[in-house]
Amino acid sequence: MKREIVKKTMMLLAISGMIFSGCGKEEKTYVPQKKTETEISKSENDSELETETEGISEGKNYKITTEYDLEDYASGYVIVSKNDGLLYGVIDKDGNEVIPVEYDNIQLVRGEEEESDKDEVYFVCEYEGEEEVLDSNGQKILDGKVERVTPHLGEISADSPFFYELNYTYSTDYMNQDISLRYYDIKGDMLCDINLLEIEDIDRAMYDTVDLTVLNTELISNDRILVCIGGALKPKDESNGLEAYYNVSLYNLKGERLQEWNELATPSGMTVEDDNSFIFVTVDYWAEGYQYELYSIDENGNLTDLGDLESQNKYSLSSAGQLQVNEESSSSENSSDYTLGKNGEYRLYKTNDTWKLEDSNGNPLYDKRYFECWHKEDCFFLLNEDNQICLINKNGQMLVDYGTITWNGEYGMFGDSEITDDSIRSDGNSVCFEVAGDDENILYILFPEEDNLE
């Protein structure tokens, strides 16, 4: 059943260096429609917003003057930096410093389902190589040597797995050796502790020692974890002999093994996300020329065998041995039809050469037609027949009414300041604009009228 490791020495050396890999989901950005050829006009004094702001409703919005630069934003909290991104910190919508601007890097983590709840905002702060998690009050809730992870599929919430650690206690006695994966949520609570050596295929009566390690692990969804281990087993009846061993297992977040593939491996790089599913390959190193079998898991945990890799047109291995989706099979990221609203009750779509924003009964919102639409940071810029622009969020709510944003530049002008990739951030509900000045910047945080953060 097993093969002697001498025959596979080079292969083991090639994969023994593979460690955990995290994959983040890349944001799909809408390509703006071609707009006017008008030159970009800039104010002689672009250190302040001098134009009228009738489109910004009173009472729901905040203006902050700061020496810092905008980096990221969510739910009334702004990650800022100084000295061109040398140091990072966090301020709130009132301009209060929640986290001192002294960290080497800060990343924001929030629950997608709790967009207006400020208690669901957390910050992963890095200082001299060490990471810690602080809440929206600046209180430390988690630190230590843990690895950050993002599910490939499904929505992220505060109860999602955010960190894991490999607990490894080596022993020449298999019974005393411990290899386990521990997953934690953003609050630092342990979600599961998976003992990777509880594998029925390893007969403890046959082996004196086990030298196994984790070759790859992937958090597929909030409740599916893929783990590949590999290494060597030492039979009791062969003092100098070793046998190569591999195992791929699928777990849930309770630590239960749902399925396993013995003597097969899934090295790092042999997984890929495709549409609403996660694809991974099991590799049979004992087969002639190796054999690759494809599997698919959707966000509900349903597992499908896609067959041998060689029989596929959609997937292939790159020259570097990584699984990839072939370009001709990839779907376009551009769209001319969007479902908006907290419950999907609105539709923004293109018909002929114009756009329409309607409710479920076909009634128009704000205007009957829009002649341009472009998308940035989960917000939609809509141009009406009077050449005026409004800004709505992904819930279809008005963030900026007509009169403030004008039709110049790539995304438009917020007053006298050009909207760029670096000057706008949104959490899908509210938005933050930065108006850059020579010595100080102004941050405008805008909420929809229906939203209440207080």
Side-chain angles (χ1 to χ4, degrees):
M1 182 179 179
K2 309 283 192 300
R3 307 292 196 277
E4 290 189 0
I5 198 173
V6 174
K7 299 180 181 179
K8 300 294 179 179
T9 301
M10 295 304 294
M11 180 266 295
L12 279 174
L13 289 176
I15 64 174
S16 62
M18 295 181 183
I19 57 175
F20 301 152
S21 63
C23 294
K25 292 183 180 177
E26 293 183 1
E27 180 184 0
K28 296 181 179 179
T29 57
Y30 176 81
V31 178
Q33 301 292 318
K34 184 177 181 181
K35 298 193 282 290
T36 181
E37 299 294 332
T38 305
E39 296 279 335
I40 298 175
S41 60
K42 293 187 178 181
S43 169
E44 293 181 359
N45 181 4
D46 48 344
S47 62
E48 292 186 15
L49 181 65
E50 293 182 343
T51 0
E52 65 278 358
T53 55
E54 296 88 357
I56 301 178
S57 57
E58 296 294 333
K60 290 301 301 174
N61 307 295
Y62 302 84
K63 176 181 177 181
I64 305 168
T65 301
T66 177
E67 62 180 304
Y68 304 129
D69 296 320
L70 169 67
E71 294 293 339
D72 205 351
Y73 165 81
S75 300
Y77 295 91
V78 186
I79 296 180
V80 295
S81 70
K82 65 183 299 186
N83 297 333
D84 294 326
L86 185 64
L87 297 174
Y88 295 81
V90 176
I91 60 178
D92 64 16
K93 57 185 172 55
D94 296 311
N96 301 316
E97 188 177 80
V98 177
I99 298 176
V101 185
E102 59 185 28
Y103 287 90
D104 299 325
N105 192 26
I106 296 181
Q107 292 191 354
L108 182 150
V109 181
R110 55 191 295 271
E112 293 290 345
E113 299 174 344
E114 302 291 340
E115 293 164 359
S116 62
D117 188 352
K118 62 182 180 181
D119 293 330
E120 298 296 329
V121 180
Y122 300 88
F123 302 95
V124 181
C125 304
E126 180 181 345
Y127 184 82
E128 294 186 352
E130 296 291 328
E131 288 188 338
E132 57 189 23
V133 179
L134 278 63
D135 62 17
S136 57
N137 296 314
Q139 300 298 313
K140 185 188 300 184
I141 57 175
L142 181 66
D143 59 12
K145 294 186 178 300
V146 293
E147 296 288 336
R148 199 165 353 118
V149 65
T150 301
H152 288 274
L153 304 176
E155 293 184 341
I156 299 175
S157 69
D159 296 323
S160 300
F162 278 109
F163 303 95
Y164 70 89
E165 66 176 342
L166 174 63
N167 181 55
Y168 181 74
T169 304
Y170 176 77
S171 173
T172 55
D173 181 0
Y174 172 75
M175 299 297 294
N176 293 327
Q177 185 166 270
D178 180 23
I179 304 178
S180 62
L181 279 175
R182 296 171 180 173
Y183 281 82
Y184 302 85
D185 62 21
I186 191 66
K187 299 181 289 294
D189 298 330
M190 185 184 295
L191 300 175
C192 65
D193 187 354
I194 302 174
N195 184 348
L196 302 180
L197 293 184
E198 290 182 348
I199 300 176
E200 296 180 359
D201 188 58
I202 300 180
D203 187 349
R204 301 186 182 188
M206 292 180 58
Y207 300 99
D208 282 325
T209 60
V210 181
D211 187 10
L212 300 177
T213 187
V214 176
L215 300 180
N216 186 30
T217 183
E218 302 280 356
L219 180 61
I220 298 172
S221 66
N222 288 346
D223 194 41
R224 290 295 184 272
I225 303 167
L226 183 72
V227 182
C228 173
I229 63 175
L233 306 178
K234 182 178 180 182
K236 289 184 176 181
D237 57 356
E238 297 182 30
S239 58
N240 296 322
L242 294 175
E243 294 180 358
Y245 180 81
Y246 298 96
N247 175 275
V248 180
S249 293
L250 182 67
Y251 298 87
N252 62 20
L253 207 57
K254 296 179 181 179
E256 300 169 337
R257 181 181 280 106
L258 305 177
Q259 186 159 343
E260 61 180 306
W261 297 264
N262 289 315
E263 298 206 21
L264 300 178
T266 300
S268 177
M270 291 193 176
T271 61
V272 68
E273 183 183 340
D274 181 28
D275 298 328
N276 294 318
S277 60
F278 178 83
I279 314 298
F280 69 93
V281 177
T282 58
V283 186
D284 185 356
Y285 285 113
W286 314 121
E288 185 69 26
Y290 301 157
Q291 182 174 339
Y292 303 92
E293 188 80 3
L294 281 171
Y295 292 88
S296 171
I297 301 178
D298 64 21
E299 59 183 324
N300 296 317
N302 300 313
L303 181 68
T304 303
D305 188 342
L306 300 179
D308 188 270
L309 178 62
E310 292 184 358
S311 65
Q312 302 288 322
N313 295 322
K314 190 172 183 179
Y315 308 98
S316 63
L317 291 181
S318 68
S319 58
Q322 295 184 321
L323 183 65
Q324 61 186 7
V325 181
N326 297 329
E327 292 184 4
E328 57 270 19
S329 301
S330 301
S331 59
S332 172
E333 293 184 350
N334 296 335
S335 174
S336 57
D337 197 332
Y338 296 93
T339 299
L340 306 180
K342 293 182 178 179
N343 299 308
E345 63 269 31
Y346 304 124
R347 181 187 176 200
L348 175 64
Y349 65 99
K350 190 173 185 180
T351 172
N352 296 322
D353 292 328
T354 61
W355 291 77
K356 293 182 179 179
L357 176 62
E358 299 174 342
D359 63 17
S360 56
N361 296 319
N363 300 316
L365 273 67
Y366 313 122
D367 267 311
K368 291 184 178 180
R369 292 194 301 168
Y370 301 96
F371 291 82
E372 290 285 352
C373 168
W374 56 98
H375 183 202
K376 175 63 180 173
E377 285 280 327
D378 288 329
C379 295
F380 294 85
F381 296 81
L382 302 175
L383 178 77
N384 69 4
E385 61 184 3
D386 296 322
N387 225 31
Q388 296 177 328
I389 295 174
C390 69
L391 182 70
I392 65 172
N393 63 15
K394 69 178 184 180
N395 296 322
Q397 299 167 307
M398 183 79 73
L399 288 173
V400 182
D401 208 340
Y402 302 111
T404 298
I405 300 176
T406 54
W407 194 28
N408 280 315
E410 183 177 5
Y411 300 109
M413 305 285 290
F414 184 74
D416 290 335
S417 180
E418 182 185 355
I419 302 171
T420 68
D421 288 329
D422 296 326
S423 67
I424 181 174
R425 292 290 184 272
S426 173
D427 57 11
N429 180 54
S430 53
V431 67
C432 180
F433 286 101
E434 177 185 65
V435 176
D438 294 332
D439 299 319
E440 292 182 324
N441 301 323
I442 301 177
L443 302 178
Y444 290 86
I445 300 178
L446 315 176
F447 295 91
E449 293 184 6
E450 295 84 347
D451 178 68
N452 187 4
L453 193 69
E454 304 299 331

